[in-house]
């Protein structure tokens, strides 16, 4: 029975590759390297809205907000780091590997705002940079899919931000 169900799923037409608008939610685990001895590991929750022009190309906007903080050591001193938010606009070229799996690239721009706190003082700053990454999309219904991706979001002298995201999208 399991083999028959698997064959039926594989023989079905492609699901979520139709042109049009889509939106969804994602969770990302990111590492912020502020140029000290260790990275700050930070979690974010976000949303994305996009438009697929063809089965092979989409444009997408994202916004994510930090869920907590982490501490980094700077020469024996502990500094609390929070990623307040990040926004981005991306081009997503995509290639369907099968009816249910597609591989995609991510190329665009990200702006992130972080806060560092030490002994009652804090400093907040923003950075933006070119972003790139790659991911996989798994269609699980005609309108919905799951994605997993790795992206280099910032690569500046003051901060390096990269992470893994997992999310869902719904095509309207």
């Amino acid at each position: 029975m399991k083999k028959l169900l698997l064959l039926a799923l594989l023989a079905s037409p492609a699901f979520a590759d139709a042109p049009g608008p889509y939106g969804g939610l994602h969770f990302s685990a990111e590492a912020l390297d502020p140029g000290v001895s260790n990275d700050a590991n930070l979690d974010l929750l976000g949303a994305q809205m996009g438009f697929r022009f063809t089965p092979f190309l989409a444009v997408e906007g994202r916004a994510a907000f930090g869920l907590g903080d982490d501490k980094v050591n700077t020469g024996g001193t502990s500094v609390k780091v929070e990623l307040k938010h990040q926004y981005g606009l991306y081009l997503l070229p995509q290639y369907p590997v099968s009816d249910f799996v597609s591989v995609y690239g991510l190329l665009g721009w990200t702006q992130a705002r972080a806060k560092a706190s030490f002994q009652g003082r804090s400093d907040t700053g923003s950075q933006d940079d070119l972003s790139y990454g790659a991911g996989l999309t798994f269609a699980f219904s005609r309108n919905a899919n799951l994605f997993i991706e790795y992206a280099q979001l910032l690569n500046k002298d003051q901060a390096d931000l990269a992470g893994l995201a997992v999310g869902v999208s719904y095509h309207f």
Side-chain angles (χ1 to χ4, degrees):
M1 180 67 177
K2 289 180 184 177
K3 288 182 182 180
L4 183 61
L5 180 60
L6 181 61
L7 286 173
L9 286 174
L10 292 176
S12 298
F15 279 151
D17 288 331
Y22 64 91
L25 299 172
H26 64 273
F27 170 82
S28 58
E30 298 178 3
L32 175 64
D33 179 0
V36 295
S37 61
N38 64 318
D39 294 349
N41 296 310
L42 304 163
D43 297 330
L44 292 96
L45 184 62
Q48 68 271 3
M49 291 294 295
F51 190 87
R52 183 172 310 286
F53 296 101
T54 73
F56 304 101
L57 185 65
V59 66
E60 185 172 289
R62 296 182 184 181
F65 301 92
L67 297 176
D69 57 51
D70 196 11
K71 295 190 184 219
V72 295
N73 292 318
T74 60
T77 304
S78 182
V79 176
K80 182 173 88 168
V81 178
E82 298 174 71
L83 193 54
K84 302 302 266 179
H85 64 259
Q86 69 186 37
Y87 304 109
L89 184 61
Y90 311 101
L91 189 63
L92 284 83
Q94 176 175 309
Y95 182 77
V97 176
S98 74
D99 287 342
F100 299 96
V101 179
S102 294
V103 62
Y104 67 91
L106 178 135
L107 181 63
W109 167 87
T110 300
Q111 187 270 337
R113 185 168 188 81
K115 178 180 177 183
S117 303
F118 169 70
Q119 293 182 342
R121 294 184 295 180
S122 65
D123 186 24
T124 303
S126 295
Q127 291 287 327
D128 62 280
D129 199 7
L130 177 70
S131 304
Y132 55 91
L136 292 171
T137 299
F138 304 94
F140 58 86
S141 81
R142 200 161 293 289
N143 294 338
N145 62 37
L146 170 74
F147 69 88
I148 183 167
E149 74 181 27
Y150 177 81
Q152 178 70 46
L153 300 166
L154 296 173
N155 193 4
K156 297 271 192 172
D157 292 337
Q158 300 88 352
D160 183 48
L161 181 65
L164 185 65
V166 176
V168 293
S169 294
Y170 181 81
H171 296 258
F172 305 110

